Amino acid sequence: SGKTNILESISLFEKGRGFRKDNVKNLINFKNSEKNFFISSKYFDDDNLMNLSLFSQKNENNYNKKILINESSSSDSIKHFQNLFSLIYFLPEMERIFINSPSLRRNFFDRLIYNIDKDYVILLNKYRKNIFERQKALKNYNYDIEWIKIIEQQIADLAIKIYKKRVENISLINFNLEKVNKFQNKIYKISFKLIDDFLENSQDFKSNLFDKYLFKLEKSREIDLIIGGCKFGPHKSDINGFNLDNNFNINQYSTGQQKTILLLVILAHCYYLINEVKISPIILFDEVCSHLDDENRKLLLNIVEELNIQILMTGTDKNLFSFLSTNVSYCNIV
C-alpha cells in the first residue's frame, strides 16, 4: 500500500539517498508522464514553520534530488535545516544486525555519529575517494612515488579521524545505555567495542597511529593492487557488543533479545541527542511491531511515552499497536 514509501519520503530530506539507498531514478513512479517526483512537507521547530519541497531533477542522463527550504535553495538555508533535522530509523532487516555483515553494523553506528556531527559523512566520503584514487594510481606500474605518499598521508589522516569519531560515539552509547537500564525488565549490561585489526589495543590514541598507518599502507601496496582497495582501515572495522557480566557476545542472543538491545541503543542515543546535543530526532519504525514479545512491547511503549519526540510506525494491522497509549494518531493507507 505504500506504508514504507511514506517513511522513505521523510528520510529523503536528509543528505543521501534515503534509508533504502536507492538511486533517484528508481524513486520515480514509472507511470508518471513527467518523469520526476515531488515531495512536499511542513517541518516545525518549536514555533518556527519551514515549508519543505523535495523533487527530482534530470541533468543530462543523471537524476539528482533538490531540496527547497521556504522556497530557497541557498546553502545557508539547507545547512540550517539539516542541523535541526535528525532521523533515527528501524527497518525489518535490522532485527538481525548483530549476526549479519559488519558493514550493516558500521552503517548503523555511523548514522548515529551523523546525527551528532553532520560533517561526518563528508569525512567518510573523502576517505573512500582517497582509497579509490590510491587504487587507481597503483594500477599504473610507473606510478609517482611522491604522489602515492601524498594520497596515503591523506588516507591516514582521515582514517584516524574516523576511528576517533567511532570510538567516542561507542563510548557515549555505553555511557547512556546505563541511564536507560530502568526501562528493562531484564537488565542487559551491554557494552560495545570497536573491533579492528589495525587499532588492536591502541584505542586511546596515545600512540603514534599516523606513522604506523603510513608504514602499513606502504607495506601493503602490492597486495592492495591485487585485491583492490585496502586490506585494512576503518572500512574493515566491526562493532561488537558483549554482556559485561559474562563477556557473552550478543550475536549469540535470541532474535527477540537482539531486538531489545537494538531498541535500547536507539533509546540511549535519543537520550543523548535530546539532553546533551539539544536535538529532537524523529524516529521511523517500519514494521517494528512484527514478532514483538511482551518485553519489547513494554520497551517500545516506554520509548513512545518517555521521549517527547515524533515517532512514526508502520504495520499491517491496527491490533499490533494495541499496547500503545491513547496519545497516538492512526492513519489507514489503502
Side-chain angles (χ1 to χ4, degrees), residues 175-209:
F175 178 76
N176 284 280
L177 276 172
E178 297 180 10
K179 295 184 177 182
V180 299
N181 277 337
K182 62 181 179 179
F183 298 116
Q184 301 184 56
N185 288 337
K186 301 174 184 177
I187 300 297
Y188 295 100
K189 294 182 179 179
I190 300 298
S191 179
F192 288 93
K193 183 179 180 182
L194 185 68
I195 308 298
D196 189 277
D197 290 338
F198 171 74
L199 280 186
E200 296 177 346
N201 296 319
S202 301
Q203 297 191 22
D204 57 2
F205 298 98
K206 292 179 180 177
S207 56
N208 193 350
L209 292 183

Side-chain angles (χ1 to χ4, degrees), residues 121-169:
V121 69
I122 299 174
L123 188 64
L124 292 174
N125 289 337
K126 284 182 178 179
Y127 173 76
R128 296 188 189 107
K129 181 180 178 181
N130 277 277
I131 291 288
F132 175 77
E133 289 296 325
R134 175 176 178 266
Q135 177 64 15
K136 189 167 66 172
L138 287 175
K139 289 181 179 179
N140 181 356
Y141 289 96
N142 296 318
Y143 59 76
D144 185 340
I145 292 293
E146 293 305 314
W147 174 236
I148 288 289
K149 286 182 178 180
I150 291 173
I151 296 176
E152 289 178 345
Q153 287 173 356
Q154 292 173 345
I155 291 173
D157 179 62
L158 293 165
I160 292 170
K161 287 178 180 177
I162 294 170
Y163 279 138
K164 286 182 177 180
K165 290 284 186 183
R166 286 179 177 168
V167 170
E168 289 169 0
N169 183 61

Side-chain angles (χ1 to χ4, degrees), residues 41-181:
S41 181
K42 296 183 185 296
Y43 181 81
F44 293 88
D45 174 51
D46 294 328
D47 295 327
N48 299 318
L49 168 65
M50 296 183 188
N51 291 300
L52 309 179
S53 301
L54 190 146
F55 50 92
S56 59
Q57 205 172 48
K58 189 174 183 180
N59 182 15
E60 295 181 352
N61 294 323
N62 296 321
Y63 283 86
N64 300 310
K65 72 173 186 180
K66 188 174 181 65
I67 185 171
L68 301 179
I69 314 296
N70 292 328
E71 301 185 358
S72 170
S73 62
S74 72
S75 57
D76 288 342
S77 297
I78 294 173
K79 187 172 183 179
H80 174 68
F81 166 69
Q82 288 175 340
N83 286 332
L84 296 173
F85 186 63
S86 182
L87 285 181
I88 299 172
Y89 44 76
F90 181 99
L91 309 178
E93 57 266 30
M94 293 170 63
E95 291 185 6
R96 302 176 70 81
I97 192 172
F98 297 117
I99 59 175
N100 282 330
S101 69
S103 64
L104 292 177
R105 290 185 286 280
R106 285 196 304 270
N107 289 340
F108 173 73
F109 282 91
D110 279 345
R111 272 204 51 80
L112 301 185
I113 299 173
Y114 174 73
N115 286 330
I116 300 169
D117 180 2
K118 299 297 184 181
D119 291 331
Y120 181 61
V121 69
I122 299 174
L123 188 64
L124 292 174
N125 289 337
K126 284 182 178 179
Y127 173 76
R128 296 188 189 107
K129 181 180 178 181
N130 277 277
I131 291 288
F132 175 77
E133 289 296 325
R134 175 176 178 266
Q135 177 64 15
K136 189 167 66 172
L138 287 175
K139 289 181 179 179
N140 181 356
Y141 289 96
N142 296 318
Y143 59 76
D144 185 340
I145 292 293
E146 293 305 314
W147 174 236
I148 288 289
K149 286 182 178 180
I150 291 173
I151 296 176
E152 289 178 345
Q153 287 173 356
Q154 292 173 345
I155 291 173
D157 179 62
L158 293 165
I160 292 170
K161 287 178 180 177
I162 294 170
Y163 279 138
K164 286 182 177 180
K165 290 284 186 183
R166 286 179 177 168
V167 170
E168 289 169 0
N169 183 61
I170 290 171
S171 177
L172 284 173
I173 290 171
N174 290 336
F175 178 76
N176 284 280
L177 276 172
E178 297 180 10
K179 295 184 177 182
V180 299
N181 277 337

